[in-house]
């Protein structure tokens, strides 16, 4: 049986970044920029006032006072008609172009309008350059403002728009079909019968796919019947990734691996040394350009979740061209004693908080971690309370308060 680390290598070897596409920049949030972009403008486009005020010759205010003739009022977006000469000023709004001849802007609050229309600047000293943002101070035309590989945030999208990239080339989001299998399942909107349960994995996995940057496609529920399963799986194989839940254990109704292989999906591994999640199945379907990935997650919700976090999430990140391929491991210090039993490394739902003495301005070196009272791999309720998975190594062990254990932060 592969270890988690070995299985991750197998998955990583099967991933090829999705091809790039062009999208409107406002749709590029959360996607990865596929090529470096340069600005086609200077920013700002001209010397501009950063305040509402009077554009003046600073020499007029040497002694901190002046009475100046106001030549015009200039809003942002209009070019000045007049040059400022000694004894004159132009009233400029925030963002307005600095008229030729002016070398400083005095804030409007310092001005006093006189009856003859002039403005008195009683105690306003002005130094050359004051309140002026120079042309191209932020970026110059032709300058590369963003490199390929950047995961685009809203502020980046704003810069793309400013720089003239209303459409940008980004890595396409992977399409990910989610199919829950199990004859005991009913849709979440339905009240289950006595031996039925709701398909909670479907909702959870669809949400997780979206969070990981994929386009989630809901294939609903397939019953444990070969023809129904085959039909649903075939539809799912149209996507970059097919994520199944259930039907991959050793039971008589665990038909998924057999059907996948009959449909040409090559098994890369089945079963990984971890708890929960041991029955995980992974395979690929060869395609003309790139392989499609198929993850058969075990049906129990916590198993499904752990396998998604450990294997599917990083695969989706890599397909989407995102730089971080794995969630970072942190060090936790136990807040309570704990006994771990089991022959596999265990990913135990836990809460993790920065210690009370952590500096708020830097990431903590370790977290205080509390393993939750967890009823096993079907216990979705406890999973929903967790913000971390505490990783207990294989083997029986007794842990004391303060012992260090690795953890994965989930939020
Ligand atoms: P399986 O892996 O198919 O043997 O399923 C293992 C356990 O997980 C069974 O108790 C199933 O009822 C449960 N299970 C399977 N699929 C789901 C699902 N989509 N949502 C919630 N529980 C599930
Ligand atoms: Mg099942």
């Amino acid at each position: 049986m592969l270890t988690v680390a070995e299985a991750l290598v197998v998955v990583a070897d099967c991933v090829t970044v999705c091809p790039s596409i062009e999208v409107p920049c406002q749709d590029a949030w959360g996607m990865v920029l596929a090529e470096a972009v340069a600005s086609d403008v200077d920013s700002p486009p001209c010397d501009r006032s950063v305040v509402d005020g009077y554009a003046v010759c600073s020499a007029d205010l040497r002694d901190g006072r002046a009475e100046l003739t106001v030549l015009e009022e200039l809003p942002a977006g209009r070019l000045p008609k007049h040059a400022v000469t000694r004894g004159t000023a132009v009233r400029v709004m925030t963002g307005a172009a600095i008229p030729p001849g002016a070398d400083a802007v005095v804030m409007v609050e310092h001005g006093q309008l006189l009856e003859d229309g002039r403005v008195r600047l009683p105690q306003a000293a002005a130094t050359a350059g004051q309140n002026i943002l120079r042309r191209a101070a932020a970026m110059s035309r032709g300058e590369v403002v963003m490199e390929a590989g950047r995961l685009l945030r809203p502020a980046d999208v704003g810069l793309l728009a400013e720089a003239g990239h209303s459409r940008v080339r980004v890595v396409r989001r992977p399409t990910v079909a989610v199919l829950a299998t199990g004859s005991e399942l009913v849709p979440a909107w339905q009240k289950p019968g006595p031996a039925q349960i709701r398909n909670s994995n479907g909702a959870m996995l669809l949400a997780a796919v979206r969070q990981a940057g994929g386009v989630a496609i809901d294939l609903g529920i397939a019953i444990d019947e070969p023809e129904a399963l085959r039909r649903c799986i075939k539809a799912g194989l149209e996507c970059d990734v097919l994520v199944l839940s259930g039907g991959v254990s050793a039971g008589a109704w665990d038909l998924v691996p057999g059907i996948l292989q009959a449909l040409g999906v090559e098994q890369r591994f089945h079963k990984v040394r971890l708890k929960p999640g041991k029955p995980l199945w992974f395979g690929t379907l060869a395609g003309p350009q790139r392989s499609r990935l198929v993850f058969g997650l075990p049906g129990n919700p916590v198993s499904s979740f752990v396998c998604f976090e450990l294997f599917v999430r990083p695969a989706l990140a890599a397909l989407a061209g995102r730089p971080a391929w794995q969630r970072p491991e942190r060090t936790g210090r136990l807040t309570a004693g704990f006994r771990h039993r089991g022959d596999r490394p265990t990913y135990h739902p836990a809460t993790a908080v920065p210690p009370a003495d952590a500096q708020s301005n830097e990431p903590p070196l370790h977290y205080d971690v509390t393993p939750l009272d967890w009823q096993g791999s079907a216990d979705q309720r406890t999973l929903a309370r967790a913000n971390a998975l505490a990783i207990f190594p294989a083997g029986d062990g007794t842990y004391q308060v303060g012992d260090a254990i690795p953890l994965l932060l989930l939020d």
Side-chain angles (χ1 to χ4, degrees):
M1 209 185 313
L2 296 183
T3 64
V4 168
E6 288 163 347
L8 268 170
V9 171
V10 175
V11 175
D13 283 347
C14 296
V15 171
T16 333
V17 181
C18 287
S20 67
I21 51 166
E22 206 182 89
V23 297
C25 66
Q26 65 268 29
D27 297 342
W29 170 82
M31 298 172 89
V32 170
L33 194 61
E35 60 191 13
V37 297
S39 178
D40 69 350
V41 291
D42 289 334
S43 176
C46 55
D47 292 355
R48 279 204 315 195
S49 176
V50 299
V51 295
D52 282 324
Y54 296 94
V56 299
C57 301
S58 59
D60 275 343
L61 280 83
R62 275 274 137 74
D63 60 354
R65 59 178 57 234
E67 289 178 358
L68 305 172
T69 304
V70 181
L71 302 173
E72 63 176 317
E73 290 211 337
L74 196 60
R78 206 171 346 113
L79 288 173
K81 294 199 190 77
H82 301 276
V84 171
T85 52
R86 295 296 295 265
T88 70
V90 165
R91 170 83 170 89
V92 288
M93 313 300 150
T94 303
I98 301 297
D103 67 349
V105 177
V106 176
M107 285 171 75
V108 69
E109 293 86 335
H110 295 155
Q112 226 179 332
L113 275 180
L114 304 178
E115 276 181 7
D116 61 6
R118 289 185 305 154
V119 65
R120 177 184 291 156
L121 302 171
Q123 338 100 349
T127 51
Q130 168 184 299
N131 291 328
I132 294 174
L133 187 64
R134 292 291 168 202
R135 173 179 179 167
M139 66 183 180
S140 312
R141 188 174 161 192
E143 189 185 342
V144 171
V145 291
M146 224 180 281
E147 299 291 345
R150 185 170 185 85
L151 178 59
L152 298 170
R153 305 160 308 149
D156 301 317
V157 169
L159 177 57
L160 289 168
E162 188 192 11
H165 297 273
S166 60
R167 296 183 68 81
V168 284
R169 280 210 88 76
V170 290
V171 178
R172 177 169 68 66
R173 290 179 187 272
T175 52
V176 185
V178 173
L179 175 63
T181 74
S183 299
E184 74 279 31
L185 301 177
V186 298
W189 47 264
Q190 197 173 312
K191 183 98 179 183
Q196 295 179 317
I197 54 167
R198 292 197 176 101
N199 171 20
S200 60
N201 285 347
M204 173 177 72
L205 295 170
L206 290 164
V209 165
R210 292 193 182 111
Q211 189 194 39
V215 177
I217 292 147
D218 183 7
L219 295 186
I221 299 167
I223 56 168
D224 296 318
E225 188 274 308
E227 195 37 43
L229 262 175
R230 209 187 73 86
R231 222 177 28 248
C232 292
I233 288 175
K234 205 152 181 274
L237 290 172
E238 299 289 316
C239 291
D240 295 312
V241 181
L242 169 59
V243 177
L244 295 130
S245 93
V248 291
S249 306
W253 300 107
D254 293 326
L255 307 169
V256 167
I259 292 172
L260 284 168
Q261 281 171 81
L263 286 168
V265 182
E266 183 189 343
Q267 177 181 313
R268 301 290 180 157
F269 62 75
H270 188 189
K271 295 196 170 68
V272 179
R273 234 177 121 243
L274 85 158
K275 187 180 165 188
K278 177 172 125 183
L280 175 67
W281 192 98
F282 173 67
T284 54
L285 178 66
Q289 273 112 35
R290 21 210 306 289
S291 296
R292 289 156 204 275
L293 310 184
V294 181
F295 293 90
L297 311 184
N300 268 312
V302 186
S303 315
S304 256
F305 179 83
V306 168
C307 288
F308 185 94
E309 286 301 318
L310 291 181
F311 299 99
V312 187
R313 178 184 297 281
L316 298 188
L319 285 166
R322 293 189 181 193
W325 146 258
Q326 260 188 298
R327 270 194 196 279
E329 227 179 77
R330 304 275 185 233
T331 302
R333 290 196 191 282
L334 287 171
T335 60
F338 190 78
R339 272 179 73 190
H340 172 251
R341 316 203 144 275
D343 57 351
R344 285 169 277 148
T346 300
Y347 292 73
H348 191 112
T351 54
V353 291
D357 58 0
Q359 302 291 319
S360 59
N361 57 348
E362 47 191 62
L365 297 174
H366 70 267
Y367 290 77
D368 286 340
V369 61
T370 311
L372 293 170
D373 180 18
W374 172 45
Q375 305 305 312
S377 53
D379 184 1
Q380 178 101 42
R381 167 111 195 259
T382 299
L383 179 64
R385 271 205 294 265
N387 70 339
L389 295 170
I391 309 169
F392 292 99
D396 295 349
T398 303
Y399 295 82
Q400 315 293 335
V401 173
D403 280 356
I405 47 154
L407 58 87
L408 296 178
L409 284 182
L410 299 175
D411 301 329

